[in-house]
Amino acid sequence: MSENAGTSPPPVTEGLDTHTAGRPVTVADVLALPVLATGQPQVVTGEAHLDRLVRWVHITELTDPASFLKGGELVLTTGMPLPDDAAGVRRYVDELTDIGAAALIIELVRRYHRPPESLVQACRTRGLPLITLARDVNFLEVTQVVHALILGNQADAMRRTQRIHEAFTALTLRGAGPEDVVRSAAEMSGRTVVLENLVHQALICEPSGTTVQDALTDWERRSRVTPLGDHSEALGPEAWLVVPVAYQGERWGRVVMLSAPPGVGFGPEDVTVLERTAMALTIARLTHPTTWERTAHRSALRDLAEQRHHSPEDARARFAALGLPAEDSRFLAVLVSGRTEEGAKSEGWLSQELRIAGVTALVGELASARLGALLVLRPSQPWRPTVERLARSFLDQFPDAVVSVGSEVTDIADTARSFREAAHAAEAAVPGEHLPEGRSFHELSDIGLRQLLYALREDTRVQEYVERQLGRLIDHDTRHGTNLLTTLRHYLDAAGSKTTAARRGNLSRETIYQRLRTVERLLDCDLESGERRTELHVALTALDVLRTR
């Protein structure tokens, strides 16, 4: 063991390996340091335990070093104090192992040139890593470098912990909701984080390094076999980290951090993140009036309606994790459009009505003035009576609202199509228009020319078309007080029959002929042309819907 007498020790930062920054130092990390690599270290026993954490480095030439250790030390020795007898060597190793030493490093320069067999056997029996050094190493320099690394990492860990506390404090102060809190936890930890309620329904899932499908498939069963226990350790068959979310003894659920790939355990920072997540979720629940379940349903509904899931499998897994039947079911989108009362109250009312009707559904506000529901129907369950009852009840309270439905789908991943169709039906619903069969809700089959043009009424191309086709006629009526537009309407509604048009307008044949010639002159067209009459009929219909209030 060289002492480098008369020379200044090297800077303690020399040889630090940056790959250990940000995490505890292991025996393997120390062996990789240049300051120790010069001694040509060789692992003789305990290679499977090189991931043990090194809390400190201890140089000793005592026959009973364990009395000066607390556990987690990397013991350095020249081998000079080792007992000569096998029993003494076993006692030496037993004491190191019992106190929890991380590893024993022996220099093979002075007393030994190869490790004693009794030492090898004792270390192998107790699972203590034994490392030999073939060349002289400055033990003092080793301790300086490793201690600097340990202390530096501890300081880094404290700074990261401080940043975690500051981040969650900022979330709380700005009133972040549960989704923001869980998302931040996943980003900070690099792990998948899930919030579940007391019946093991996964309300919010923020995946990290995996998919929603992998995280949530068969969620309830997997969650139920994972106990709550001490949240400072991983529990259950899948080694999850779990912290309850509670307030004044009342539990609301728990937040779960899923394990990383095999071999990567949870660290103190993961525990800190999860504990602060639970605290932030508690505050969010106390300050946000909307329940977690309703927030989860609203979020899931929007993701389905806008097809924001990454894959059909993700959609099915998330739907099932909410406790809803994703298999052997039919799905139907229902929209309520128009100004009603406060969204939360409308959601609650619609959810209650669906429960009374015995229909499972996701309910939530999709956008301003648009409430959505995804009905989950059994294979033989009819939906029309339920939707008709809902629509009539809703319209009794809000007469200006529009209730629309899409078509049935059999795969939860296809529900975006049903929502698009329901939205198209709502956009084409003309106010005051009577629906077929006295229905109270609109569906895609109701869209004809009038409804299509009503849906497109804000498109400037439709407006330009109306003006180009009828503008001169309307201007003439305005300037001269005539009513040629009405005459044209009677003529087109009569499919080109002048006699029928005259009767409908209470005009003589001569008058109708004269007025139609004036229309032809003003519009520069031949009204005997079927194509031209079609163009004018479309323009008149568009004009009607543009004037609809």
Side-chain angles (χ1 to χ4, degrees):
M1 179 179 66
S2 172
E3 296 295 343
N4 285 352
T7 63
S8 300
V12 295
T13 56
E14 181 181 331
L16 292 185
D17 194 346
T18 57
H19 83 282
T20 64
R23 62 176 177 82
V25 180
T26 66
V27 175
D29 295 331
V30 174
L31 296 181
L33 292 173
V35 68
L36 199 59
T38 58
Q40 299 176 357
Q42 180 179 357
V43 180
V44 180
T45 67
E47 188 170 2
H49 303 296
L50 296 183
D51 59 348
R52 287 181 177 176
L53 301 183
V54 177
R55 187 186 63 82
W56 209 241
V57 178
H58 185 76
I59 303 172
T60 182
E61 300 299 342
L62 300 175
T63 57
D64 59 341
S67 59
F68 296 91
L69 305 180
K70 293 184 178 180
E73 290 88 357
L74 183 67
V75 179
L76 304 179
T77 182
T78 61
M80 298 298 290
L82 282 178
D84 293 324
D85 60 305
V89 170
R90 285 196 299 272
R91 184 177 63 254
Y92 181 90
V93 172
D94 285 343
E95 290 177 356
L96 290 180
T97 306
D98 292 342
I99 201 64
L104 173 64
I105 296 181
I106 180 171
E107 189 180 72
L108 302 179
V109 176
R110 288 165 177 79
R111 181 177 177 184
Y112 300 106
H113 294 287
R114 66 178 183 177
E117 186 61 28
S118 59
L119 179 63
V120 173
Q121 288 299 329
C123 289
R124 181 173 290 121
T125 300
R126 293 303 305 271
L128 178 67
L130 173 64
I131 297 99
T132 62
L133 299 175
R135 297 182 60 185
D136 208 22
V137 170
N138 188 331
F139 281 179
L140 178 60
E141 184 180 346
V142 173
T143 61
Q144 288 178 309
V145 171
V146 176
H147 289 172
L149 184 60
I150 292 171
L151 293 173
N153 282 358
Q154 288 175 348
D156 287 342
M158 290 179 64
R159 285 191 290 269
R160 287 193 300 275
T161 299
Q162 181 63 28
R163 286 197 292 270
I164 291 170
H165 286 292
E166 291 172 352
F168 278 103
T169 299
L171 284 170
T172 300
L173 290 177
R174 69 177 175 86
E179 290 178 317
D180 290 334
V181 172
V182 174
R183 185 181 305 113
S184 296
E187 291 173 352
M188 277 186 261
S189 64
R191 316 268 188 149
T192 297
V193 180
V194 179
L195 171 65
E196 67 172 14
N197 61 13
L198 294 176
V199 292
H200 300 274
Q201 293 174 349
L203 304 179
I204 301 173
C205 172
E206 193 63 39
S208 180
T210 185
T211 64
V212 172
Q213 179 191 8
D214 292 336
L216 296 185
T217 296
D218 198 20
W219 175 263
E220 182 178 346
R221 181 195 62 79
R222 294 160 59 207
S223 175
R224 287 186 180 278
V225 298
T226 303
L228 186 58
D230 181 0
H231 53 257
S232 63
E233 59 181 355
L235 296 170
E238 298 182 51
W240 289 352
L241 202 60
V242 181
V243 174
V245 182
Y247 179 70
Q248 293 184 344
E250 180 185 1
R251 278 187 56 200
W252 295 325
R254 62 182 187 174
V255 60
V256 179
M257 185 177 287
L258 272 59
S259 56
V264 183
F266 294 108
E269 292 174 25
D270 296 319
V271 176
T272 300
V273 167
L274 207 61
E275 289 176 343
R276 286 306 309 263
T277 300
M279 186 182 302
L281 287 170
T282 296
I283 296 173
R285 184 170 179 112
L286 292 171
T287 56
H288 287 254
T290 306
T291 64
W292 286 346
E293 285 75 11
R294 183 166 294 170
T295 298
H297 284 205
R298 182 186 299 166
S299 176
L301 192 69
R302 289 176 179 175
D303 288 349
L304 289 170
E306 299 172 18
Q307 209 164 11
R308 294 191 297 202
H309 42 266
H310 290 90
S311 69
E313 292 75 20
D314 279 4
R316 297 185 196 105
R318 184 180 183 190
F319 197 77
L322 284 171
L324 299 167
E327 304 295 336
D328 300 323
S329 299
R330 293 149 45 232
F331 307 95
L332 181 78
V334 179
L335 295 180
V336 179
S337 306
R339 294 291 175 185
T340 59
E341 60 184 55
E342 186 180 340
K345 295 180 180 179
S346 299
E347 286 181 23
W349 177 88
L350 186 54
S351 297
Q352 182 179 359
E353 289 295 311
L354 288 167
R355 282 195 298 270
I356 294 173
V359 177
T360 302
L362 272 179
V363 177
E365 192 175 26
L366 295 177
S368 177
R370 175 157 287 181
L371 187 64
L374 181 65
L375 275 55
V376 186
L377 305 162
R378 298 184 298 275
S380 60
Q381 185 177 12
W383 60 266
R384 287 185 176 275
T386 299
V387 175
E388 178 63 29
R389 185 166 56 253
L390 284 173
R392 289 188 182 279
S393 180
F394 212 96
L395 293 173
D396 285 344
Q397 300 180 66
F398 311 105
D400 294 332
V402 173
V403 180
S404 59
V405 300
S407 58
E408 293 182 33
V409 296
T410 56
D411 190 333
I412 188 66
D414 295 333
T415 52
R417 173 165 58 86
S418 186
F419 275 106
R420 284 196 299 271
E421 293 176 356
H424 293 331
E427 292 164 359
V430 181
E433 185 177 59
H434 295 289
L435 292 169
E437 305 167 359
R439 274 192 284 109
S440 299
F441 61 89
H442 298 256
E443 49 189 329
L444 204 60
S445 59
D446 295 330
I447 300 179
L449 175 62
R450 179 179 174 83
Q451 292 76 24
L452 177 62
L453 291 171
Y454 184 78
L456 300 174
R457 64 193 182 279
E458 295 181 1
D459 193 319
T460 57
R461 290 172 296 181
V462 173
Q463 299 169 15
E464 289 171 354
Y465 179 80
V466 171
E467 189 64 21
R468 187 170 63 252
Q469 295 289 335
L470 301 174
R472 285 173 291 176
L473 191 62
I474 297 172
D475 290 344
H476 183 278
D477 281 346
T478 302
R479 287 194 302 269
H480 300 284
T482 56
N483 203 9
L484 296 177
L485 188 67
T486 301
T487 301
L488 177 62
R489 185 187 303 278
H490 290 324
Y491 176 70
L492 296 175
D493 288 345
S497 170
K498 295 184 178 65
T499 302
T500 303
R503 185 173 62 253
R504 289 181 177 178
N506 197 24
L507 302 172
S508 65
R509 290 176 60 85
E510 291 76 10
T511 302
I512 197 71
Y513 287 153
Q514 178 185 1
R515 290 190 177 185
L516 290 176
R517 285 195 297 270
T518 303
V519 170
E520 288 180 322
R521 177 176 58 80
L522 289 170
L523 300 184
D524 190 22
C525 68
D526 179 9
L527 291 179
E528 295 297 323
S529 166
E531 180 179 355
R532 194 68 182 94
R533 288 203 300 268
T534 300
E535 293 172 349
L536 292 172
H537 178 70
V538 170
L540 271 173
T541 305
L543 178 64
D544 290 342
V545 298
L546 287 171
R547 290 175 171 177
T548 299
R549 294 292 181 268

